[in-house]
Amino acid sequence: MVSLSAKFRDLIWPKQYLENPKRFAWLYVAVFVICLLTLWRGGDALKQQQIQDLSVDTTEQLVQLTSVIESAIAKYQHMPTLLASNDRVRKALRDGLPSDINQLNRELEQINRITEASDSYIIDVNGSTIAASNYRLSTSFVGGNFSFRPYFKDAIKGKPGRYYALGTTSNRRGYYFSYPVFEGDSIIGVAVVKVDLTQFEKRFSNQAYDFLMLDPDGVVFSSSRSEWLYKVMGQLSHEELTRIAESQRYFDQAIETLPIVSKKAFEGSGDVIEMLDEVQDSLGNELVERHRYLAMSRPIKLLNFQVAVFVPLTAIEEQIALWRAIFAGGITITMLVFGLAHLRSRMLQERSDAIEMARHNQAYIREVIQHTQAGLVTLDGAFRIEALNPAVEKLVATPLSNLIGQPLSALFQVAESDLLRWTKALQSDFDNAKDSLTTVQGTLSVKGEPTSIAVEATICELQLPHRRSHLVTFHDMTERKRYEQEITSARHALELRVKERTSELEQANQLLRHEIGEHKATQQELIQTAKLAVLGQMSAGLNHELNQPLTAIRSFADNGLKFLERERYEQAKGNLQQISQLGHHMGDIIARFKVFARKGNVMHTPIDVQTAINGALKIMQPRFKEAGIESHVPSNVQVAVLADMVFLEQVLVNLLANAVDAILEASGREKLVSIEVNCEQDLVRIYVRDSGTGLSEESLNRLFEPFYTSKASGLGLGLGLSISQRIMDSMNGSLSAQNHPEGGAEFCVTLNTFQPD
């Protein structure tokens, strides 16, 4: 009866191969080459998968990195606008007094210290810097002329400016925001804020990737690697290089090309590039090595820049190389084991050479075991240590001859999670087991010795005649464990930094929302104060308006009593009716003032223009009577606008009150206030004109500034027109002023026409 091992042998190695050693050698080599090719292709597939996983993680890091940079720079873009609206900046540009400029220098220095900007400075219309936050430094911008910079040219044309360049004075790279400084309709200078981008290089210098920021021309403007600055990934044309040189963007820096050897797109999520990097060996000699990176980029829309990260692929390539080495060793050992089995089969067929062949095989096995780099341990049928090679002793750094005959557990300890599977594999019948190869991880250590090595162990049964034996292969996992620990630590550190930055941004947003709320509350209080100020100015007229009906009421009441005594009831009834009518009239007067003084938020509802004009006139009528002013008002305006009735009346009352003050100051002139309404396609314009002397040129330029007034001291706070303009802005309208060609001042209220669906 043919044995099972003989059937298995005949299935793997047909008789013609056993009888012809050359055929067997070719078959053996072919199988070995196929296994190596399969191993190589598997390594490529695994590497592609790991790079794909790396690209997913890098995409998330790139999104977070871009968000951090945009948030950090966005807080500076409105600073030039705030500086341009500062009265001290206008005064310094207009008068040029040393005391004003010195004070402005100190204010800019304090603002810079608070906002953590790089530099803030003010430039006149000729491009010369008159004040700067760095005025104390030897590299101060004061006195420097920057008229050649594009950010200055844009701002002097009345537009916000943005630019990035290497500073010609400080020799520091930065991003510039600028804004024109207006004096009325004229531009008298430019406010500039420079943001130093080197802060991001310091922040991201210790990451697992290399960081680059590319300008719109592809030039590296900022990087965690200083040797990459002012270099491009592609080629720039002669016209582009000339344009960059003429703008002095990078001063005298030469624009070179990054040493990229090859570039290959990676599944649409980035590029795998190969670069030449200069490194130093242990002796300090400079060498040039080729390194591969996963390159990914993302735009920063605020700056029109690109943020790119180069993630080194060295760890993945080393891991794949280690994986290939391990499995190649396993394949080699397995092929050797099968080769030994083949020798055993041939030994059965060639009994005459059995002893010589056995000696040859044993010597061959000993040489392989002695010189292989992997740790090898053979076990007998009871799984006791039978032999081991020097590689095992090298791993634990101690002689192991005293372990011969002891259980494998005296040398190798399996992790608790794999203990059951390992024990089951050792106790299984390898001849009948479906899977005769088991791999687990554990540690090599000897009792009483301090050395403990993390290894990966593979056990397989050896096909030896007349006895059962097993081969255990150990591979050192120390480097792999170290790489895994470094990757885990880097990920935890990145997650912690993201959480900290997110918390800081949330706190900043809460503070900003609180300040906006306080600003709105202050604005509402100013509007209410202006209302009460107008009511206070009209209190005398209101007293006169109410005294007349009160006097009439007393007279009618006295007459009514006398009529009742004389039993003249009809005349008494008539007097009571007069008293009732006068009471209603007084109630209407008081109601208008109560509505006018009411607090509230601006509402956008359809309101009748004629009603708003009549309401304002009723409030102002006492002052008109007191001052003897005549009014010309339209009586049949049939148009509705989107506005708030109370706030529109407040604006009209402010304009009418200013008209009365202007007429009273111009003695000897006609006392007349006129209101006209002009309806266009989508707009309604309400004109309020007085017969005063008109507005001066200074008043026209500063009319709507807070606390500016042309009235005599004590007659006004200068808030009425400023608040009125804010009210019109909140109702999506506008307020303007001019001198009428026929004399006097004329104010124009513009609102959107209500158009029903």
Side-chain angles (χ1 to χ4, degrees):
M1 185 175 181
V2 181
S3 66
L4 180 62
S5 61
K7 290 182 179 180
F8 183 75
R9 180 194 65 206
D10 292 339
L11 179 63
I12 298 179
W13 298 306
K15 187 175 182 181
Q16 61 268 28
Y17 287 101
L18 293 174
E19 294 175 350
N20 191 335
K22 289 185 177 180
R23 286 189 176 183
F24 176 79
W26 281 109
L27 176 63
Y28 194 87
V29 171
V31 172
F32 187 75
V33 170
I34 292 173
C35 291
L36 289 180
L37 290 176
T38 303
L39 173 64
W40 190 263
R41 295 293 296 174
D44 287 341
L46 179 60
K47 180 165 66 173
Q48 289 293 106
Q49 181 60 44
Q50 290 188 352
I51 295 177
Q52 179 64 37
D53 295 340
L54 180 63
S55 70
V56 173
D57 295 338
T58 304
T59 300
E60 296 177 358
Q61 294 176 356
L62 191 56
V63 171
Q64 295 171 355
L65 173 62
T66 306
S67 177
V68 168
I69 294 175
E70 281 191 310
S71 301
I73 296 179
K75 66 180 182 180
Y76 298 110
Q77 64 178 334
H78 298 300
M79 280 185 58
T81 307
L82 297 176
L83 289 175
S85 63
N86 190 302
D87 288 338
R88 191 174 299 281
V89 172
R90 295 194 190 99
K91 188 175 181 182
L93 286 168
R94 184 179 60 247
D95 300 333
L97 297 177
S99 59
D100 294 335
I101 292 177
N102 290 336
Q103 181 63 27
L104 180 56
N105 280 329
R106 290 190 291 271
E107 286 188 8
L108 292 176
E109 183 183 44
Q110 184 178 9
I111 291 172
N112 243 43
R113 190 182 308 113
I114 295 173
T115 61
E116 298 181 350
S118 174
D119 298 294
S120 303
Y121 49 102
I122 306 301
I123 306 175
D124 64 18
V125 293
N126 297 319
S128 297
T129 304
I130 66 166
S133 58
N134 60 1
Y135 72 99
R136 299 178 187 271
L137 305 179
S138 60
T139 57
S140 172
F141 296 164
V142 176
N145 191 290
F146 301 105
S147 59
F148 62 94
R149 288 297 197 192
Y151 63 77
F152 173 82
K153 296 178 180 179
D154 289 340
I156 209 67
K157 294 177 182 178
K159 301 183 297 183
R162 293 185 179 188
Y163 193 63
Y164 53 96
L166 176 67
T168 57
T169 303
S170 63
N171 201 30
R172 293 166 56 191
R173 288 166 285 119
Y175 197 92
Y176 300 83
F177 294 101
S178 64
Y179 196 82
V181 180
F182 287 94
E183 181 75 26
D185 295 332
S186 301
I187 297 176
I188 61 174
V190 175
V192 185
V193 173
K194 177 182 178 182
V195 183
D196 188 358
L197 298 183
T198 58
Q199 57 180 298
F200 304 112
E201 298 172 3
K202 298 177 182 177
R203 184 180 303 178
F204 303 113
S205 60
N206 296 323
Q207 302 298 322
Y209 53 79
D210 291 318
F211 155 84
L212 302 89
M213 191 181 298
L214 308 174
D215 71 11
D217 293 321
V219 180
V220 179
F221 189 72
S222 179
S223 175
S224 56
R225 301 263 300 262
S226 59
E227 65 269 24
W228 289 354
L229 291 175
Y230 315 116
K231 296 184 179 180
V232 293
M233 297 182 63
Q235 294 290 337
L236 293 179
S237 65
H238 177 73
E239 290 77 13
E240 291 173 329
L241 291 173
T242 302
R243 173 172 50 80
I244 294 173
E246 289 177 351
S247 66
Q248 300 186 36
R249 180 184 302 161
Y250 298 122
F251 204 29
D252 56 353
Q253 293 290 340
I255 307 300
E256 300 177 352
T257 304
L258 285 172
I260 297 177
V261 179
S262 65
K263 180 178 180 181
K264 182 180 179 181
F266 180 74
E267 297 183 3
S269 58
D271 297 315
V272 175
I273 63 174
E274 186 175 8
M275 293 183 60
L276 299 178
D277 288 335
E278 293 184 359
V279 298
Q280 290 186 346
D281 60 11
S282 58
L283 300 177
N285 300 320
E286 290 189 357
L287 303 175
V288 177
E289 295 182 353
R290 292 193 176 196
H291 291 159
R292 283 157 50 87
Y293 300 87
L294 174 63
M296 304 185 70
S297 63
R298 183 179 176 86
I300 303 180
K301 297 181 180 179
L302 175 64
L303 307 181
N304 195 23
F305 273 30
Q306 289 279 338
V307 171
V309 292
F310 285 5
V311 186
L313 300 180
T314 306
I316 294 178
E317 292 174 344
E318 291 177 353
Q319 185 178 0
I320 297 301
L322 177 62
W323 179 86
R324 282 173 171 162
I326 292 173
F327 279 89
I331 292 174
T332 302
I333 293 172
T334 304
M335 295 299 292
L336 289 174
V337 170
F338 278 101
L340 294 176
H342 168 68
L343 293 177
R344 177 177 176 273
S345 299
R346 288 196 61 192
M347 184 179 62
L348 293 175
Q349 292 189 359
E350 301 176 3
R351 293 181 180 275
S352 59
D353 299 328
I355 297 176
E356 186 66 25
M357 187 62 69
R359 291 176 180 175
H360 174 75
N361 289 344
Q362 290 176 2
Y364 183 77
I365 292 173
R366 281 196 300 271
E367 287 299 317
V368 171
I369 292 176
Q370 291 294 324
H371 294 92
T372 185
Q373 296 298 315
L376 299 178
V377 175
T378 57
L379 307 177
D380 60 14
F383 299 101
R384 294 187 296 266
I385 297 175
E386 188 177 51
L388 45 83
N389 68 340
V392 179
E393 295 180 334
K394 185 177 180 181
L395 285 174
V396 297
T398 185
L400 300 177
S401 58
N402 60 330
L403 296 182
I404 302 298
Q406 296 190 27
L408 182 62
S409 59
L411 174 64
F412 179 59
Q413 290 78 43
V414 185
E416 185 176 352
S417 59
D418 294 329
L419 181 60
L420 181 62
R421 187 162 68 96
W422 178 257
T423 304
K424 184 177 179 181
L426 293 179
Q427 295 174 352
S428 66
D429 184 357
F430 278 86
D431 288 336
N432 299 324
K434 294 182 180 179
D435 183 8
S436 62
L437 185 65
T438 302
T439 301
V440 296
Q441 294 183 6
T443 57
L444 282 179
S445 62
V446 180
K447 186 176 181 181
E449 297 293 335
T451 306
S452 179
I453 304 298
V455 295
E456 184 177 68
T458 301
I459 184 172
C460 65
E461 186 176 9
L462 297 177
Q463 300 294 329
L464 301 178
H466 310 301
R467 71 187 184 94
R468 188 179 186 185
S469 182
H470 300 87
L471 176 67
V472 182
T473 306
F474 295 106
H475 296 283
D476 190 353
M477 298 283 290
T478 304
E479 287 298 315
R480 179 177 171 183
K481 293 288 186 182
R482 184 175 65 83
Y483 290 149
E484 292 176 352
Q485 183 63 33
E486 290 177 355
I487 292 173
T488 302
S489 300
R491 183 183 297 111
H492 289 167
L494 178 61
E495 291 175 353
L496 180 61
R497 294 200 63 178
V498 171
K499 288 181 180 179
E500 292 175 352
R501 186 57 183 159
T502 302
S503 177
E504 293 175 0
L505 292 176
E506 289 178 353
Q507 293 177 1
N509 287 336
Q510 290 178 358
L511 179 60
L512 181 59
R513 285 194 293 267
H514 178 69
E515 291 178 352
I516 290 174
E518 291 182 347
H519 176 72
K520 289 183 178 179
T522 303
Q523 181 172 325
Q524 291 294 333
E525 290 299 326
L526 285 174
I527 292 174
Q528 186 65 17
T529 301
K531 288 183 180 180
L532 297 178
V534 172
L535 290 177
Q537 292 176 356
M538 296 186 298
S539 60
L542 177 62
N543 180 48
H544 177 72
E545 191 74 11
L546 293 177
N547 274 336
Q548 287 183 343
L550 282 173
T551 302
I553 287 173
R554 285 195 297 270
S555 176
F556 282 120
D558 292 339
N559 291 338
L561 291 173
K562 292 179 181 180
F563 286 138
L564 288 175
E565 291 174 357
R566 300 174 184 175
E567 297 183 355
R568 297 172 63 178
Y569 299 113
E570 288 299 327
Q571 288 82 351
K573 179 179 179 181
N575 286 351
L576 291 174
Q577 290 175 345
Q578 291 293 333
I579 292 173
S580 176
Q581 292 176 0
L582 290 171
H584 284 299
H585 176 63
M586 294 175 64
D588 290 340
I589 294 173
I590 295 172
R592 291 309 305 172
F593 281 89
K594 287 174 64 179
V595 171
F596 180 76
R598 187 185 66 201
K599 285 186 177 181
N601 294 322
V602 176
M603 305 292 291
H604 292 82
T605 58
I607 65 170
D608 183 62
V609 173
Q610 185 68 59
T611 303
I613 293 174
N614 293 341
L617 285 172
K618 286 183 179 179
I619 294 173
M620 290 299 301
Q621 199 62 41
R623 285 207 66 189
F624 281 9
K625 289 182 179 180
E626 180 184 2
I629 295 174
E630 182 182 357
S631 60
H632 289 174
V633 182
S635 59
N636 191 23
V637 177
Q638 297 181 353
V639 64
V641 293
L642 278 175
D644 185 291
M645 178 65 78
V646 174
F647 284 95
L648 179 56
E649 285 185 3
Q650 181 179 351
V651 172
L652 294 175
V653 167
N654 283 339
L655 297 180
L656 292 173
N658 286 343
V660 172
D661 293 338
I663 292 172
L664 293 178
E665 289 180 0
S667 59
R669 299 174 68 92
E670 180 185 10
K671 296 182 178 181
L672 176 63
V673 174
S674 62
I675 299 177
E676 295 182 4
V677 179
N678 184 11
C679 301
E680 299 180 2
Q681 291 183 349
D682 299 325
L683 299 175
V684 174
R685 303 184 191 276
I686 305 173
Y687 295 94
V688 179
R689 176 191 170 194
D690 61 61
S691 60
T693 58
L695 300 169
S696 65
E697 183 176 354
E698 180 184 6
S699 297
L700 286 172
N701 292 331
R702 303 183 59 189
L703 200 57
F704 298 105
E705 290 183 8
F707 303 106
Y708 173 77
T709 178
S710 60
K711 300 176 183 179
S713 177
L715 296 181
L717 297 176
L719 289 174
L721 289 177
S722 176
I723 293 174
S724 297
Q725 188 181 53
R726 291 178 180 269
I727 292 174
M728 293 307 302
D729 290 341
S730 67
M731 293 190 297
N732 298 324
S734 64
L735 176 62
S736 60
Q738 64 179 3
N739 286 322
H740 196 274
E742 298 179 3
E746 183 179 63
F747 288 81
C748 178
V749 175
T750 305
L751 290 165
N752 294 318
T753 304
F754 169 67
Q755 297 178 347
D757 296 337

